[in-house]
Amino acid sequence: DADVTQTPRNRITKTGKRIMLECSQTKGHDRMYWYRQDPGLGLRLIYYSFDVKDINKGEISDGYSVSRQAQAKFSLSLESAIPNQTALYFCATSANRDTDTQYFGPGTRLTVL
Amino acid sequence: GNSVTQMEGPVTLSEEAFLTINCTYTATGYPSLFWYVQYPGEGLQLLLKATKADDKGSNKGFEATYRKETTSFHLEKGSVQVSDSAVYFCALSDLYSGAGSYQLTFGKGTKLSVIP
């Protein structure tokens, strides 16, 4: 079984809808991250969390919110989706002892019409 | 701020050819450097890393040397295979960059296609 899982893997929605992307991990890591990937732009950090009570904004947090429900779960929400949020979204984790190395989930492809 | 610049792709090579993907960085502290690989339809996987100057990271026949004097971390492989076709991302993690601590900064990615 994969260590970092994301649901759903694909989602098509309409402008204005609320969307939640979920991430779960079995690696026992405290640190979790949400990125989005756009063609030709690499990965950009949306939010990150160093433990259950810690949430931090990343480079591009506008239009997004997150919830860290437990050590193993980190959800990303789009309160009112817009077309330029169409992208590939990745969740990642890292351990406190080796914060540099991040482990990625398989990604969620989100399309906003 | 921190930044990573890698050569633009796509790169197309024949099987058994030599591969170099250039990567240079700008950082305010003492970054660790990484290469991640993304195979089609999958998430990113760590390929190799180096944590200090002159370190060489290696894995699966790939290697990269941390060159502080040229701020570079070029990826090389002596003989590529079709199965190496993927997108390769150079990244840095700077532990001493204030608000950006512990975050990875990625390059834009280089797509490699290896043909038989």
Side-chain angles (χ1 to χ4, degrees):
Chain A
D1 289 339
D3 294 319
V4 183
T5 57
Q6 294 182 232
T7 55
R9 293 294 311 277
N10 289 282
R11 181 74 184 267
I12 300 173
T13 191
K14 294 182 179 180
T15 298
K17 294 292 188 181
R18 184 178 187 274
I19 297 298
M20 179 179 287
L21 309 183
E22 299 186 347
C23 176
S24 295
Q25 53 111 349
T26 59
K27 299 187 77 66
H29 290 168
D30 285 323
R31 300 176 182 229
M32 298 187 74
Y33 311 79
W34 275 106
Y35 292 90
R36 66 176 277 175
Q37 182 182 27
D38 298 279
L41 292 180
L43 275 77
R44 294 179 292 168
L45 184 65
I46 306 172
Y47 270 96
Y48 60 103
S49 169
F50 286 171
D51 63 41
V52 176
K53 297 180 181 179
D54 177 75
I55 300 289
N56 303 281
K57 293 183 177 181
E59 179 186 353
I60 54 164
S61 59
D62 287 349
Y64 302 94
S65 62
V66 292
S67 173
R68 185 81 185 267
Q69 302 95 322
Q71 185 204 40
K73 295 185 182 296
F74 193 36
S75 299
L76 175 72
S77 293
L78 288 68
E79 296 301 326
S80 179
I82 56 177
N84 76 1
Q85 292 178 313
T86 293
L88 194 52
Y89 290 85
F90 287 104
C91 174
T93 73
S94 67
N96 285 334
R97 285 191 171 188
D98 184 15
T99 58
D100 307 68
T101 304
Q102 296 186 15
Y103 299 85
F104 285 78
T108 295
R109 184 168 297 280
L110 176 66
T111 302
V112 183
L113 301 176
Chain B
N2 298 336
S3 66
V4 175
T5 303
Q6 60 182 105
M7 62 187 289
E8 293 188 17
V11 174
T12 302
L13 295 174
S14 298
E15 206 164 22
E16 299 184 2
F18 184 86
L19 168 71
T20 299
I21 301 178
N22 291 336
C23 172
T24 57
Y25 68 90
T26 302
T28 55
Y30 303 91
S32 295
L33 301 174
F34 305 80
W35 278 100
Y36 279 82
V37 58
Q38 184 180 28
Y39 297 105
E42 299 183 11
L44 278 72
Q45 302 174 24
L46 178 65
L47 181 59
L48 53 85
K49 65 185 279 190
T51 58
K52 61 183 187 298
D54 299 325
D55 269 2
K56 177 184 283 188
S58 61
N59 186 26
K60 299 182 181 180
F62 291 89
E63 59 182 32
T65 301
Y66 189 142
R67 301 286 188 200
K68 192 171 188 296
E69 64 276 13
T70 55
T71 61
S72 64
F73 193 55
H74 304 321
L75 182 68
E76 296 182 337
K77 186 174 186 183
S79 177
V80 294
Q81 305 300 312
V82 173
S83 58
D84 294 326
S85 297
V87 181
Y88 293 82
F89 292 91
C90 185
L92 70 83
S93 175
D94 191 342
L95 296 181
Y96 304 105
S97 58
S101 295
Y102 306 112
Q103 293 179 26
L104 283 176
T105 300
F106 288 88
K108 295 181 179 181
T110 302
K111 184 176 181 180
L112 170 67
S113 296
V114 180
I115 54 177

